[in-house]
Amino acid sequence: MTLRRLLVWLSLWFALLLGAVPAGADPLSFGIFPRRNATITVRMFNPLADYLSRELHRPVQLVISKDFDAFWRQVEERRFDLVHFNQYHYLKARRLGYRVILSNQEFGSDTLAGALYVRKDSPITEVTALAGRKIVFGGGKDAMMSYIVPRYLLQSAGLKDGDYQADFALNPPNAVLAVVNGQADAAGAGDVVRQFLPNPDDQAAVRILAKGEPLRQHPWAVRETLDPPLRDELRRLLLALNDSAEGRALLEQAGLSGLSAASEADYEGCRAVVEAVFGVVD
């Protein structure tokens, strides 16, 4: 345990002794969808979990999922109190009792787009030229920006499932790296994913072949059965990160430039794309 985490837990223990935390209060479970590998995700979001623990005087436990399938099983089990979703997961999770409270800002924007990547030196200049080619999608079939939007782009160009060789990487950066390394002709990933690659040469080795319309950034949601005062306090604390030096440092650690208030209506554009690809969201 790091010194910082030890101090957080000691402060919670003292708060319990002083009556600031109800005896027997359960830890809050904080889930993050596996946009990046587990090691990176822990490094990015543990400080934020520590901040929430300190401010709420209640343990907040970060829960990491190894892949999209494992993450979705945990959502279905209603394991999370606070959860950072992709857009498709959120649309599906509404029936499980999750409600959006916030959305990401990344690189100064509260929207992003799914894209198809090819190598910079690839002769492919049109989406139709991907017929018969190998395309690696990041994550799985429930990855909004890395599968659903790229598949929508392919579908819009007249390429249906089966007209190309589909494969999947563990996460979006790995999908783009498959193109960099010549293991695939194209990759499906969000339009900002290239900037997640740590090697500048890898970033420069790919270009975007096609990009979808801007859609609302990834949502943050809470269980609707969470006590309203606690839900409101979580929302307030997360939004307050925008307004202090400590908060902005935590956001930067988490790969964010800010957080924005969000509502169900902000995700109707995402719903339209999902329904064009999969039909009505269950």
Side-chain angles (χ1 to χ4, degrees):
M1 179 180 288
T2 65
L3 177 61
R4 177 172 179 165
R5 291 185 69 80
L6 177 61
L7 291 173
V8 168
W9 283 95
L10 284 173
S11 70
L12 290 170
W13 184 73
F14 281 118
L16 180 60
L17 288 179
L18 295 171
V21 179
D26 293 331
L28 292 178
S29 178
F30 176 20
I32 305 288
F33 80 103
R35 189 181 187 187
R36 304 172 181 86
N37 71 47
T39 301
I40 293 173
T41 302
V42 169
R43 185 170 69 242
M44 293 175 69
F45 288 96
N46 250 341
L48 183 54
D50 289 344
Y51 160 80
L52 291 173
S53 295
R54 185 188 75 216
E55 296 299 318
L56 291 170
H57 302 294
R58 179 174 186 167
V60 175
Q61 295 180 344
L62 186 66
V63 180
I64 301 301
S65 310
K66 67 176 183 177
D67 55 32
F68 279 82
D69 288 341
F71 173 77
W72 185 248
R73 285 195 297 272
Q74 291 167 318
V75 173
E76 288 191 312
E77 293 166 1
R78 296 172 174 81
R79 181 172 177 184
F80 304 126
D81 299 299
L82 170 68
V83 55
H84 185 23
F85 283 115
N86 77 12
Q87 297 86 340
Y88 178 52
H89 284 142
Y90 171 64
L91 293 173
K92 291 177 64 180
R94 278 190 52 80
R95 67 176 172 80
L96 299 171
Y98 285 95
R99 295 294 178 264
V100 65
I101 56 171
L102 302 166
S103 71
N104 283 3
Q105 292 176 15
E106 295 180 9
F107 305 103
S109 175
D110 59 8
T111 63
L112 79 168
L116 289 163
Y117 289 84
V118 295
R119 276 190 62 92
K120 197 169 187 176
D121 57 7
S122 171
I124 296 171
T125 58
E126 301 289 341
V127 175
T128 52
L130 292 175
R133 304 272 192 162
K134 182 178 179 179
I135 307 173
V136 175
F137 301 96
K141 293 186 177 181
D142 49 358
M144 182 74 194
M145 296 297 159
S146 300
Y147 178 73
I148 298 172
V149 173
R151 183 171 161 183
Y152 178 75
L153 293 170
L154 291 160
Q155 183 177 301
S156 299
L159 298 180
K160 61 184 183 298
D161 193 23
D163 289 342
Y164 44 87
Q165 303 170 47
D167 200 357
F168 294 89
L170 187 62
N171 53 55
N174 284 358
V176 177
L177 285 173
V179 172
V180 172
N181 296 325
Q183 297 165 335
D185 298 293
D191 64 338
V192 299
V193 166
R194 175 171 45 186
Q195 299 175 70
F196 298 161
L197 304 181
N199 188 332
D201 290 340
D202 291 341
Q203 295 178 22
V206 293
R207 59 182 166 84
I208 289 177
L209 175 66
K211 185 166 70 171
E213 293 296 320
L215 297 171
R216 188 62 181 241
Q217 266 280 2
H218 298 106
W220 295 66
V222 294
R223 280 191 302 104
E224 64 181 359
T225 54
L226 211 61
D227 288 341
L230 178 55
R231 176 198 62 209
D232 294 343
E233 182 65 0
L234 277 169
R235 184 175 182 274
R236 186 192 70 78
L237 288 170
L238 289 167
L239 282 175
L241 294 171
N242 296 317
D243 302 322
S244 70
E246 179 194 10
R248 289 188 291 272
L250 289 170
L251 290 170
E252 183 177 357
Q253 178 77 25
L256 304 174
S257 56
L259 290 168
S260 299
S263 68
E264 173 70 11
D266 292 319
Y267 291 91
E268 287 308 304
C270 298
R271 185 183 298 277
V273 172
V274 169
E275 292 185 350
V277 173
F278 290 149
V280 176
V281 182
D282 60 11

